[in-house]
Amino acid sequence: MELFRAGSGRSRAVGLSALVALLGCGAALGVGTVLAEREQAAAEVQMDRRTATAAETVRFETRRYVDALRMAAAAAGAQQTLTRAEYAEITQPLHDMRMAGASSVAFVVPAAADEVEQVEQTWRDRGATGLTLDPQRDGDHAFSVFVTSLDGGEVRTGIDMMQASAPAAALAESRRSRDVSVSDTYHLLVDRSLTAEQRQNSFVLAAPVHRAGELLGWVQLAVRGQSFMGATFAQAAQGVLDLTLRADDSDGRQVTVAGLRSSVIGDRDLERTVSVPVAGGTWTLHLDAVGNRLPGARSGLPMAVTLGGLIATALLTVLVWVLATGRERARARVREATAELRAGEAESRRQAALLQAVLDGISDGVGVVGPDGRFLLHNPAARRILGRHEADAGSDSWQQHFGLFRLDGVTPVPNEELPLVRAMAGDSCDQVEMVVRNDVHTDGRVISVSARPIETAAGVRGAVAVFHDITDRKHVETELRGFAGVVAHDLKSPLTSVRGFAELIADALDSQPAAVDQARYSAAKVIAGAARMEKLIDELLDYTAARDATLRIAEVSLRAVVDDVVTARIDAPDENGCRPDIFVGTLPAVLADPVLLRQVVDNLVGNAIKYTPPGRAPRIDITARAGQGGAVRIQIADRGIGIPDGEHAAVFGSFHRASNGAAHPGTGLGLAICRRIVERHGGHIEAAPNPGGGTVFTFTIPAVPDDESDARRHNGTSAAKT
């Protein structure tokens, strides 16, 4: 039944959504079509207007040229005797008009074949100095006798215009009609020396000159087509039209006079053709345009309206579908969410069981406390190591509840120094050693505790600690230290005897003759070997202490430690009597084991002195500055022989000696001891070249926190006042 209802509801939703989609799409497409048709009609009207404007512009421009030529012809015919000077004055207005494309205006006179010499002399007398008529054909001729350049170009007189059919036909038509006539397009005779790319389709306008009914000649205006119409077309096209002006030649073919193509990209879907009368002839003006680029003709409104309608229809269809199927989808989501919750709950239970199994199975103790100091988790290993279940009260009862003491087994650990308490305050701590002694561990157990602060996603803070039982390891270390002490004592005792007796032998030999020099030399070798063995045993013991000795961390005056070392070194000059020159800068207080810290400083200063070239006083600079993470960065720089490149890290290895230090005595343990001591304090030591020659040793030691320094200064001030 439920399935039937769901299927029926979905069918109704599909039908309603489809109806809305069909109606909306139909309306959007219909409105878009109507708007597009109106814009197409507007584009046609705009094209007609621009066609009429362009045609009128061409008519006006050609009429201006024709009228100017008529006036020049009439003025020439009014002269009693036309001379070169009078002709220049008549044609000056044409020059001042700056007629686009006009090349020259010439006065052309007719001449029969037997009159050429007579005509030449006549016009020479009238001012055409140097005129030479050049007949190019038999029969009648028409020579240019006066020529005025309108474009600044070179002009020639004496050209027979009858040698080209186009100007010859224009002259004949002008003579017949007694009015201005236009020629077919051709290349001007003066342009025939140009390249094909430079030549333009041109034409001439010819106006007859009569006096008393007699033909005196013609005023002929030569015009280059593209130059003539270029500026006119640019004005008429306004950047959106393609214009082409064509003329019919004598054999009926249409020849392009001038043309202009706009930079508009697109299909030319609108075109117009209109006839333009020019000096008794007819030219054809052809226009093309991209409809949607005509100003005011087309816009993106139809497309925008159509797309907007389709989008609105889609949104409305989706909305109808959502509303119609919302209940079913809500039920499906509830079922899906329920399944996810159940799966998540099962996974959480599995993860919790796995975590509990891991915690129950590991040998290290793990404890987690909340912000109130109560234990949230205490695995079996933690209960076994601590000997007690977790405390019911807060952290104030932990010391007494578990029986936590310092390594001496007597002094209780202060509550604020407990690792978990420090972690709850935001501090991390590692491998803090203490003794657990209670009714379960009556003999006491030594444990190592590491703790970290934690914070849940909800912002609740707490802490986690890991407990290690190191009682057996401590017993082994104690036995090893005792064994090392016994071995060292047993080795040093016979060495002391060997050295003592060797010195007695050497003293006895001092009073003997030179024959016993070899024996004295051998005794000195025995003494030196015994001394090296004693130094090796001492440094091995120091190396063991640096690794295993209990740290006695306290606030130490670094200046006092350095002054003690420097004083001892200055009071003991080398065999050449050179005392070291040691500079000590401002040194702060640090948190460290004073004995081990002095050993580090003494080893580094001793190395700086030992590895200074013979005959030169050692130069050592000891400075300190604040480092990162609440540490003090201490530098000891020398001017010694330095450490070869690539060995600066290796010198801290056990028994390693730099390759350039073979001539100096040593065991190779001094810097290894320094590294162990610094690393046990949580610091880092490194060596680098000194720019002035030698080596710079840098190590870090924890600084005294500011709050502790302020508290100590306050207590000191209060005590002084008291």
Side-chain angles (χ1 to χ4, degrees):
M1 187 68 178
E2 185 176 355
L3 291 175
F4 176 76
R5 290 177 179 176
S8 177
R10 185 175 295 273
S11 299
R12 287 196 298 272
V14 170
L16 184 59
S17 300
L19 179 61
V20 171
L22 289 175
L23 292 177
C25 291
L29 293 174
V31 172
T33 301
V34 171
L35 291 176
E37 290 176 352
R38 289 185 178 180
E39 287 199 346
Q40 179 64 28
E44 297 287 348
V45 172
Q46 186 68 225
M47 188 64 178
D48 290 339
R49 290 176 179 174
R50 289 181 176 273
T51 300
T53 301
E56 183 58 33
T57 301
V58 173
R59 291 191 191 98
F60 173 80
E61 194 67 13
T62 55
R63 191 180 303 119
R64 186 169 71 94
Y65 282 40
V66 170
D67 291 344
L69 196 61
R70 281 199 185 105
M71 292 178 61
Q79 304 300 318
Q80 185 65 29
T81 302
L82 183 63
T83 65
R84 178 72 182 89
E86 292 172 342
Y87 181 76
E89 184 178 354
I90 291 171
T91 57
Q92 182 61 37
L94 275 70
H95 187 277
D96 296 339
M97 289 174 63
R98 300 186 182 279
M99 306 168 75
S103 172
S104 62
V105 57
F107 185 67
V108 180
V109 297
D114 56 353
E115 298 176 345
V116 173
E117 293 182 0
Q118 178 185 352
V119 170
E120 179 180 271
Q121 186 59 47
T122 299
W123 291 103
R124 282 183 178 179
D125 295 341
R126 295 186 181 185
T129 304
L131 174 66
T132 300
L133 302 183
D134 184 18
Q136 294 292 317
R137 49 170 284 183
D138 297 334
D140 294 335
H141 305 282
F143 297 106
S144 57
V145 294
F146 299 148
V147 181
T148 300
S149 175
L150 299 180
D151 61 358
E154 183 182 355
V155 297
R156 289 192 299 126
T157 59
I159 297 175
D160 186 359
M161 304 306 296
M162 291 300 179
Q163 65 180 297
S165 60
L171 294 175
E173 177 61 24
S174 175
R175 184 173 189 172
R176 185 194 64 78
S177 65
R178 303 177 66 85
D179 198 0
V180 178
S181 65
V182 61
S183 72
D184 293 340
T185 58
Y186 76 108
H187 293 148
L188 297 179
L189 298 178
V190 295
D191 289 348
R192 290 184 176 180
S193 61
L194 301 177
T195 63
E197 292 78 10
Q198 293 175 320
R199 291 196 295 266
Q200 298 183 28
N201 284 338
S202 306
F203 60 91
V204 295
L205 295 172
V209 178
H210 294 89
R211 186 173 64 241
E214 179 184 359
L215 179 68
L216 299 179
W218 299 267
V219 177
Q220 178 180 279
L221 180 65
V223 183
R224 296 185 177 92
Q226 187 63 39
S227 299
F228 164 60
M229 280 298 163
T232 303
F233 279 0
Q235 179 183 1
Q238 297 183 358
V240 295
L241 297 177
D242 296 344
L243 295 96
T244 306
L245 186 63
R246 299 188 179 97
D248 294 334
D249 59 10
S250 57
D251 56 1
R253 293 185 301 106
Q254 280 200 336
V255 181
T256 299
V257 177
L260 175 69
R261 184 173 180 83
S262 69
S263 59
V264 176
I265 299 175
D267 295 334
R268 272 59 178 168
D269 53 349
L270 295 177
E271 62 178 38
R272 295 290 187 274
T273 301
V274 62
S275 297
V276 180
V278 179
T282 301
W283 288 355
T284 301
L285 179 63
H286 188 79
L287 301 91
D288 295 283
V290 179
N292 59 7
R293 295 301 180 90
L294 291 176
R298 291 185 184 177
S299 66
L301 181 61
M303 181 63 68
V305 170
T306 302
L307 289 177
L310 293 176
I311 293 173
T313 300
L315 294 176
L316 184 59
T317 302
V318 171
L319 179 60
V320 171
W321 173 263
V322 169
L323 293 176
T325 60
R327 185 174 182 181
E328 179 61 28
R329 286 185 293 102
R331 288 177 177 176
R333 289 180 179 176
V334 169
R335 289 193 296 268
E336 182 180 354
T338 302
E340 290 179 355
L341 287 174
R342 288 174 179 172
E345 182 180 2
E347 180 63 21
S348 298
R349 288 176 180 174
R350 189 184 69 82
Q351 293 288 345
L354 178 61
L355 178 60
Q356 188 63 46
V358 171
L359 291 175
D360 290 347
I362 61 176
S363 59
D364 291 334
V366 178
V368 180
V369 296
D372 57 354
R374 296 182 180 275
F375 277 88
L376 304 177
L377 175 66
H378 216 216
N379 71 339
R383 299 188 188 99
R384 183 177 64 256
I385 293 172
L386 296 176
R388 293 284 183 85
H389 286 273
E390 58 270 22
D392 295 331
S395 59
D396 294 339
S397 65
W398 288 350
Q399 193 280 326
Q400 294 180 352
H401 179 76
F402 294 108
L404 304 175
F405 299 90
R406 296 190 186 275
L407 291 179
D408 58 10
V410 177
T411 306
V413 179
N415 184 70
E416 63 273 10
E417 294 185 12
L418 293 175
L420 271 175
V421 174
R422 292 172 57 186
M424 290 172 61
D427 295 332
S428 299
C429 51
D430 294 309
Q431 300 178 2
V432 178
E433 297 179 359
M434 62 183 67
V435 174
V436 177
R437 189 174 63 250
N438 48 46
D439 54 358
V440 176
H441 300 310
T442 56
D443 294 333
R445 304 290 292 179
V446 183
I447 65 172
S448 173
V449 185
S450 299
R452 295 285 187 278
I454 58 174
E455 184 174 350
T456 65
V460 179
R461 302 194 61 168
V464 58
V466 178
F467 308 95
H468 302 274
D469 189 340
I470 60 173
T471 304
D472 295 338
R473 191 187 77 187
K474 283 294 183 180
H475 288 164
V476 173
E477 291 176 355
T478 301
E479 292 176 358
L480 287 175
R481 282 195 295 271
F483 175 75
V486 171
V487 171
H489 177 270
D490 290 345
L491 285 175
K492 291 182 71 175
S493 179
L495 279 175
T496 303
S497 299
V498 170
R499 184 174 181 178
F501 284 114
E503 290 175 351
L504 290 175
I505 294 172
D507 292 339
L509 291 175
D510 286 340
S511 61
Q512 300 300 319
V516 295
D517 286 345
Q518 182 63 36
R520 186 183 298 109
Y521 174 77
S522 299
K525 285 290 187 179
V526 172
I527 294 171
R532 286 197 300 273
M533 180 63 91
E534 284 183 331
K535 182 173 180 60
L536 176 59
I537 292 172
D538 289 339
E539 290 195 354
L540 285 172
L541 290 175
D542 290 340
Y543 185 72
T544 303
R547 181 189 65 185
D548 301 324
T550 301
L551 293 179
R552 308 296 180 181
I553 302 298
E555 181 177 348
V556 180
S557 172
L558 183 58
R559 181 61 188 239
V561 172
V562 171
D563 286 347
D564 182 41
V565 173
V566 170
T567 301
R569 292 291 181 175
I570 291 178
D571 291 342
D574 60 13
E575 61 270 12
N576 297 321
C578 295
R579 296 181 182 274
D581 179 12
I582 302 178
F583 168 78
V584 180
T586 302
L587 304 176
V590 295
L591 290 178
D593 185 310
V595 176
L596 296 179
L597 179 60
R598 186 189 186 286
Q599 188 171 3
V600 172
V601 176
D602 187 61
N603 282 2
L604 294 177
V605 173
N607 266 9
I609 295 173
K610 181 169 66 174
Y611 290 103
T612 298
R616 188 169 66 185
R619 169 66 183 176
I620 305 170
D621 296 330
I622 303 176
T623 57
R625 61 183 176 85
Q628 296 180 348
V632 175
R633 188 177 179 85
I634 305 163
Q635 283 190 341
I636 299 179
D638 63 57
R639 297 291 190 275
I641 62 175
I643 299 173
D645 292 340
E647 297 186 33
H648 289 89
V651 294
F652 294 101
S654 301
F655 303 104
H656 181 90
R657 304 191 65 198
S659 58
N660 63 344
H664 299 270
T667 61
L669 285 173
L671 293 179
I673 292 172
C674 292
R675 185 182 70 174
R676 279 187 176 264
I677 293 174
V678 170
E679 289 179 350
R680 289 196 65 194
H681 283 78
H684 174 72
I685 186 170
E686 61 186 10
N690 192 345
T695 306
V696 178
F697 287 93
T698 305
F699 65 95
T700 57
I701 292 293
V704 177
D706 292 339
D707 53 352
E708 293 186 16
S709 299
D710 294 342
R712 289 186 179 91
R713 284 195 295 269
H714 175 73
N715 293 338
T717 303
S718 301
K721 290 180 179 179
T722 303

